[in-house]
Amino acid sequence: MPEAADAPGARVTDALSRHQIEALIYGSPSTPRFTQDSPVLPDVWIRYAEVPGEPHELLLTPFQDAQVGTVTAGQLSRALKACLALPQARRPPGPPVPHRGRRASVAYNQSTVLARLWFDELVRVVLPLSAWWHRLGETGVDSGTPPDERASVRRQRRRELLETLRTPEGQAALAVAVRNPAVAPSQLPPDLIWMVNVIGSLALVRDHVRAPGAPPALWWPLDDEAVQKLAPAEAERHEEALARHYRAVVERVIGLTEGLEDAPWGSAATLSPAGQDQPMVWSVSLNREARATMWRSRATVKADAAARVFDITCRELAWAVIDSGVDARHIAFRRRKGEGERYEPFENGRNRTRIVASYDFSIVRHLLSEETLDDALAELPAGRNEQEIVQRRSDVGALQRRLERGSEVDWDIVGRLIRIPHVEAPGREGYRPPKQQHGTHVAGILAGDCRGSERDGSSAAMPMGICPDLQLYDLRVLDDRGEGDEFNVMAALQFVRHLNSNHDVMVVHGVNLSLSIRHDIANFACGRTPVCEECERLVGSGIVVVTAAGNDGYLQYLTPRGPQDSYRSISITDPGNAAGVITVGSTHRFQPHTSGVSYFSSRGPTGDGRAKPDLVAPGEKIEAPVGGGQDVKRMDGTSMAAPHVSGAAALLIARHRELAGQPARVKQVLCATATDLGRERYFQGAGLVDTLRALQSV
């Protein structure tokens, strides 16, 4: 077969561009299709197109339907692992290609399954478990078919459709239909044609990466206007190249779909809740990267005035800081002996800090996967005494049994395993401070107390946080390199909800998320991504959730004249797009009326037209604790603005305890009493948070 390069056009040798894969997913520019029914969202197809030949981390949402049945994350995880273990899970048959690095292929939390999959596994395992795949056979099910026979009829119909791919007539019809869906035969469902085009094109790219230069190379067709400009001979060669390309697309799909309706896939049905042929996957999205969004500001939000006017203490309240970690050794978080000198952080074997507990969620994905559980456990403390050693052995055994059964996550067990000891001890069993400074800085703005004392000899001018006696939970979702993902953040949010549900009174009253996860517009309704849904559940349970708006308000464009600075609207990041959270933008630390909203602060509205951010707070050159001793540092970003609002919310609850468990009311009060900076609503939200006015208004 001659190379496609024998004809004019744009040959793709290593990857599809985003423009090309979007055209495959949504259709041609003349007949664009802005939605698609595949459970695999566009960002997933795009990732496999842009980085072919590699496995990618995906989030699988279990199927939920009141009539058909509900699947838990554990049940889906168990079915997925069973199917991935089958030789039929991949083409060509044989053992799976090992993943690079010590990373779990399958793990799960309460609501989502994390799967690191090759392209073949996505097509041959995940798609057949989806509702979309089941619907491919619906056209063959008559309304009068008895319910107990419909599953077998659907399977037979899908088998017939796949067999169509293997006939010369079917292949010819598909090649024509893929190129021009408007002339597709009526017996070919539109979803089947769409699947052939997308999956076949991506398979071509993958095969070309595996064997560079091997024909047929992927060929991207010229548009009609460009074709009309070709000489007759060139146009003929271009037409022949396109025909070869579309035949190759169909051939790749034939190989990938071979045997998908054969018996081995029935193992998934036996693992479904009802033990029948029912969908188990609702949607598939990328496991998105979570990143940190990088003192006169205390007076700017009037926290100092509120402390003088009202006799407020936050010592009975607690806030969870979901970030890179809070260094409990810093003087800002040590308890005091009365109002004088500070304790040493772990004096006499006791936790003498206001960091109630520290948990490492950056490793939770490894603990929640049978594949990497042993490696993860080897990195955890074995225990400092016989009682702890026995408890750890019991927890490990219980966790292993739950993972084997696909049972729901027991956060009591996981929490004990990922808890970081608050003791000073040699070796790995002692306190492990975070290596990244971001979380400590955020916590210092919220609850730091760096006031000087005779013992530590620090200056009395050192910065003080909004709530200097607030209790904190340190939930580390970013690792030592500052890297994390959506799965980690969701697990931490679920754990906070668990802490409150297992106590008679609220243990955690609020959460601060100075993190940013970019929202890929075409994949989810704005505010309905997995992490946004998890935040909404947390707010629904009575916990205040404060999150940074993001730092995407500034962009630099490349123009023919060189780089050009610009501002960007509709740039709120997740989880700030969630309706129930308090989304915070940034302003100047002591000149908010003059400077307005920070140039880098993300701006609204949301992609679906809701007003965001909700408030602004100081986020420029904010000085707060970092490191393990007495160090402070200036940082910028909406990350620094969010803890100002978390502190205002905590002070409001401390002053009016009946607001505990009423996050919507707390948000309403803070927004209603904010100071208008005279800026556009989508820039400033309700305005600058005003702690004193909020406390006086209730």
Side-chain angles (χ1 to χ4, degrees):
M1 182 181 294
E3 287 270 6
D6 291 341
R11 180 185 175 198
V12 179
T13 58
D14 55 358
L16 280 174
S17 71
R18 189 180 184 94
H19 167 74
Q20 290 167 336
I21 187 60
E22 285 179 348
L24 285 173
I25 295 170
Y26 299 121
S28 65
S30 59
T31 56
R33 163 184 190 201
F34 293 110
T35 60
Q36 47 93 34
D37 298 324
S38 164
V40 181
L41 300 182
D43 64 343
V44 176
W45 299 123
I46 290 170
R47 179 62 60 82
Y48 282 101
E50 293 178 332
V51 189
E54 292 289 337
H56 297 292
E57 287 192 350
L58 311 176
L59 294 181
L60 279 61
T61 302
F63 181 83
Q64 296 185 1
D65 186 281
Q67 295 180 337
V68 178
T70 297
V71 178
T72 68
Q75 291 165 338
L76 173 56
S77 171
R78 188 166 172 242
L80 190 63
K81 287 185 287 188
C83 291
L84 287 172
L86 297 170
Q88 293 86 349
R90 52 193 61 81
R91 281 292 183 269
V97 181
H99 295 159
R100 295 185 179 92
R102 185 187 62 76
R103 305 185 73 179
S105 294
V106 180
Y108 67 95
N109 56 32
Q110 284 182 315
S111 62
T112 310
V113 176
L114 170 68
R116 192 163 186 256
L117 302 176
W118 298 89
F119 179 71
D120 292 35
E121 295 169 333
L122 171 66
V123 174
R124 293 188 57 79
V125 176
V126 175
L127 273 183
L129 296 178
S130 69
W132 180 85
W133 181 263
H134 282 236
R135 286 198 303 271
L136 276 179
E138 287 292 342
T139 54
V141 181
D142 186 83
S143 58
T145 304
D148 57 345
E149 298 179 10
R150 290 180 181 175
S152 61
V153 173
R154 282 196 298 266
R155 282 196 298 271
Q156 180 59 31
R157 172 59 177 159
R158 290 195 295 269
R159 184 174 288 108
E160 292 171 356
L161 288 173
L162 295 180
E163 289 173 354
T164 300
L165 298 177
R166 290 160 180 80
T167 65
E169 299 78 12
Q171 293 174 28
L174 269 171
V176 173
V178 166
R179 182 174 179 181
N180 186 2
V183 300
S186 58
Q187 68 269 25
L188 296 179
D191 280 352
L192 180 66
I193 298 171
W194 180 89
M195 178 192 77
V196 170
N197 197 13
V198 173
I199 293 176
S201 297
L202 295 186
L204 273 177
V205 176
R206 177 210 55 190
D207 292 347
H208 191 77
V209 169
R210 289 180 178 174
L218 183 63
W219 189 258
W220 190 249
L222 299 174
D223 58 38
D224 293 339
E225 183 177 349
V227 171
Q228 292 173 1
K229 295 179 180 179
L230 295 176
E234 291 180 331
E236 183 177 353
R237 294 208 319 272
H238 179 261
E239 185 65 26
E240 292 174 354
L242 281 180
R244 290 197 302 271
H245 164 73
Y246 285 115
R247 285 197 300 271
V249 166
V250 174
E251 289 170 1
R252 292 308 186 278
V253 176
I254 290 173
L256 279 169
T257 58
E258 182 181 354
L260 285 193
E261 287 304 313
D262 290 347
W265 298 111
S267 61
T270 63
L271 295 169
S272 69
Q276 60 188 13
D277 180 36
Q278 77 164 78
M280 299 195 74
V281 173
W282 181 265
S283 66
V284 184
S285 61
L286 282 181
N287 183 30
R288 298 173 295 166
E289 178 188 2
R291 39 192 187 98
T293 49
M294 293 270 178
W295 168 264
R296 293 159 78 171
S297 61
R298 190 168 189 264
T300 303
V301 299
K302 298 183 184 177
D304 59 336
R308 287 194 296 268
V309 173
F310 300 101
D311 183 16
I312 305 175
T313 176
C314 293
R315 65 172 60 98
E316 295 181 2
L317 302 181
W319 227 256
V321 177
I322 299 179
D323 212 289
S324 63
V326 182
D327 196 333
R329 303 170 304 167
H330 198 285
I331 61 170
F333 307 112
R334 299 181 196 174
R335 297 185 184 275
R336 291 179 178 271
K337 301 175 181 179
E339 290 298 320
E341 63 178 338
R342 295 177 174 87
Y343 286 103
E344 289 301 311
F346 312 116
E347 195 171 306
N348 299 324
R350 298 176 60 187
N351 179 18
R352 298 288 190 174
T353 78
R354 288 183 290 111
I355 312 300
V356 179
S358 299
Y359 297 91
D360 186 0
F361 280 87
S362 69
I363 64 169
V364 74
R365 59 190 299 156
H366 304 306
L367 286 175
L368 295 178
S369 171
E370 292 179 79
E371 301 167 273
T372 55
L373 176 60
D374 291 340
D375 290 335
L377 291 172
E379 299 176 5
L380 296 177
R384 296 182 303 277
N385 53 53
E386 185 63 29
Q387 181 180 357
E388 290 186 5
I389 293 173
V390 171
Q391 179 66 63
R392 185 179 185 277
R393 288 174 180 168
S394 174
D395 287 339
V396 170
L399 180 59
Q400 288 174 328
R401 290 189 295 272
R402 296 186 72 84
L403 291 176
E404 291 170 359
R405 297 194 301 266
S407 302
E408 188 166 335
V409 176
D410 187 328
W411 286 117
D412 282 329
I413 295 175
V414 176
R416 286 193 293 267
L417 291 173
I418 66 174
R419 185 163 182 166
I420 298 171
H422 276 205
V423 294
E424 290 286 10
R428 64 181 184 179
E429 296 185 12
Y431 177 71
R432 178 163 52 85
K435 292 187 177 180
Q436 296 293 319
Q437 298 178 337
H438 186 271
T440 302
H441 197 274
V442 167
I445 297 170
L446 170 58
D449 179 6
C450 289
R451 291 170 295 177
S453 71
E454 181 179 347
R455 175 164 178 176
D456 58 55
S458 58
S459 169
M462 292 280 277
M464 184 166 65
I466 307 299
C467 309
D469 59 354
L470 182 68
Q471 311 297 305
L472 298 177
Y473 281 83
D474 170 20
L475 276 56
R476 305 178 184 181
V477 296
L478 304 181
D479 61 19
D480 290 343
R481 298 184 300 275
E483 298 174 354
D485 54 44
E486 194 168 5
F487 185 85
N488 294 352
V489 177
M490 292 173 63
L493 292 168
Q494 292 171 8
F495 181 70
V496 172
R497 192 152 42 94
H498 165 79
L499 287 175
N500 279 356
S501 65
N502 283 268
H503 292 82
D504 295 333
V505 296
M506 292 190 73
V507 175
V508 180
H509 300 82
V511 166
N512 190 90
L513 281 160
S514 288
L515 300 170
S516 173
I517 301 175
R518 288 194 174 180
H519 174 55
D520 203 331
I521 297 169
N523 294 290
F524 287 96
C526 194
R528 310 302 294 182
T529 58
V531 71
C532 287
E533 294 276 18
E534 206 62 63
C535 283
E536 296 287 12
R537 282 191 279 268
L538 199 58
V539 172
S541 71
I543 298 175
V544 176
V545 178
V546 180
T547 182
N551 296 337
D552 289 350
Y554 162 77
L555 281 181
Q556 190 177 73
Y557 295 95
L558 286 177
T559 70
R561 296 182 179 179
Q564 178 178 327
D565 294 342
S566 181
Y567 295 103
R568 180 179 174 218
S569 295
I570 316 180
S571 53
I572 304 294
T573 58
D574 288 341
N577 282 308
V581 307
I582 304 176
T583 306
V584 186
S586 170
T587 185
H588 195 272
R589 67 189 186 282
F590 63 88
Q591 292 181 330
H593 291 274
T594 301
S595 301
V597 178
S598 303
Y599 76 94
F600 55 78
S601 185
S602 290
R603 299 168 175 83
T606 61
D608 59 345
R610 289 176 289 111
K612 287 281 183 177
D614 299 300
L615 295 163
V616 292
E620 297 182 29
K621 297 181 176 63
I622 307 302
E623 194 172 70
V626 294
Q630 304 177 27
D631 295 340
V632 296
K633 184 178 180 180
R634 285 184 173 184
M635 290 187 181
D636 303 295
T638 54
S639 282
M640 285 63 249
H644 285 86
V645 176
S646 282
L651 288 171
L652 181 60
I653 295 172
R655 171 64 178 169
H656 305 285
R657 291 303 300 270
E658 68 271 21
L659 294 179
Q662 299 187 48
R665 175 64 173 152
V666 170
K667 179 179 178 180
Q668 184 271 327
V669 170
L670 292 177
C671 290
T673 57
T675 299
D676 183 8
L677 298 180
R679 265 64 176 189
E680 165 63 39
R681 169 67 179 86
Y682 295 129
F683 284 58
Q684 70 162 22
L688 174 67
V689 64
D690 189 317
T691 308
L692 178 61
R693 190 183 298 149
L695 269 60
Q696 290 173 323
S697 70
V698 180

